[in-house]
Amino acid sequence: MAVLTECETQLLAMQRQLTENPQVQIFSVKPGQIIEEYGDAPEVFEKISILHGIDLDPSLQRCFVRFSWFSSHWRIERPEIQLTGEFTIRHLLTSMNVNAPDIDWGETPSERQLYSELRVIDHHPGSGTGTFAALRIKPDMPQPEVWFHDFRIGAFKMDIDYCDYLAALTITKGTSGWHYLFCDVSLGDREFRHIARQLEDMLTVFSELFPEYDYASLRQRLDERLR
């Protein structure tokens, strides 16, 4: 049996917290299987360099995840509160080998270029929201940008890297709209008000259900985006 990395251990712990909590309704869950034949981080990063001509920053190896398909889709219901969330994390090499999302989006050449460079790392097929997170892959970008795409609104660059993304996921557990805490948006605008309410509810409910996490930084981010 393969020894789990710290990041893999944290993700599995997060998933168990959801599945074992009686207040969380689980629609679907896949714990993920480790793809040992792909190799460990150095080997996979070398394959990415050979196959795609991109030398990813070695610092990203600290959060390398070997799961093939790691996902949960869940809901928490209380009077006047309904939280939903979902994540589907794929192996990094799988994400790199899959073509850019087939999106008829982008009114300018620069926008179309952006979408051609995105490789999905997390998506939400169960909820049908049409949202996903992706790495922007370019040969001259060893630290890929993380982007969040919402079919209703557009694409937004997140101010975190791939490792930060996975770390934030363990805290937010894929709550719908959590990505906007890390995007340059005003959550007080009308199109984001339902998302702001969802995030307010997340911080209230999670501080009770999952008190082992520190939500201070997320609260600060939410307050900043509501100003």
Side-chain angles (χ1 to χ4, degrees), residues 101-122:
D102 184 16
I103 302 174
D104 185 16
W105 199 281
E107 297 180 356
T108 67
S110 61
E111 289 176 339
R112 290 190 288 272
Q113 179 66 29
L114 166 65
Y115 281 104
S116 73
E117 295 166 348
L118 297 182
R119 297 296 181 270
V120 176
I121 57 171
D122 182 13

Side-chain angles (χ1 to χ4, degrees), residues 107-158:
E107 297 180 356
T108 67
S110 61
E111 289 176 339
R112 290 190 288 272
Q113 179 66 29
L114 166 65
Y115 281 104
S116 73
E117 295 166 348
L118 297 182
R119 297 296 181 270
V120 176
I121 57 171
D122 182 13
H123 66 295
H124 318 113
S127 58
T129 58
T131 58
F132 63 79
L135 295 181
R136 186 180 188 182
I137 300 299
K138 299 173 62 178
D140 60 348
M141 191 181 289
Q143 276 278 7
E145 298 171 349
V146 182
W147 285 73
F148 177 64
H149 179 268
D150 187 328
F151 278 92
R152 300 164 300 178
I153 307 172
F156 300 87
K157 182 179 178 294
M158 300 180 70

Side-chain angles (χ1 to χ4, degrees), residues 74 81-85 124 129-131 148-154 156 158 172 174-204 218-219 221-223 225-226:
W74 55 268
I81 289 180
Q82 180 171 304
L83 281 177
T84 60
H124 318 113
T129 58
T131 58
F148 177 64
H149 179 268
D150 187 328
F151 278 92
R152 300 164 300 178
I153 307 172
F156 300 87
M158 300 180 70
T172 64
T175 298
S176 298
W178 76 265
H179 305 80
Y180 287 112
L181 292 172
F182 299 87
C183 299
D184 185 15
V185 299
S186 173
L187 293 177
D189 292 349
R190 181 165 54 182
E191 61 187 342
F192 292 110
R193 285 176 186 169
H194 69 290
I195 295 171
R197 174 63 185 273
Q198 178 97 176
L199 297 174
E200 288 275 11
D201 290 344
M202 176 192 74
L203 293 174
T204 299
L218 297 184
R219 165 53 65 184
R221 282 181 173 272
L222 179 57
D223 290 345
R225 280 152 183 76
L226 287 173

Side-chain angles (χ1 to χ4, degrees), residues 2 36 49 56-57 61 113 136 161-162 167 182:
E36 294 191 66
S49 177
L56 295 177
D57 193 307
Q61 294 186 24
Q113 179 66 29
R136 186 180 188 182
D161 65 16
Y162 179 58
F182 299 87

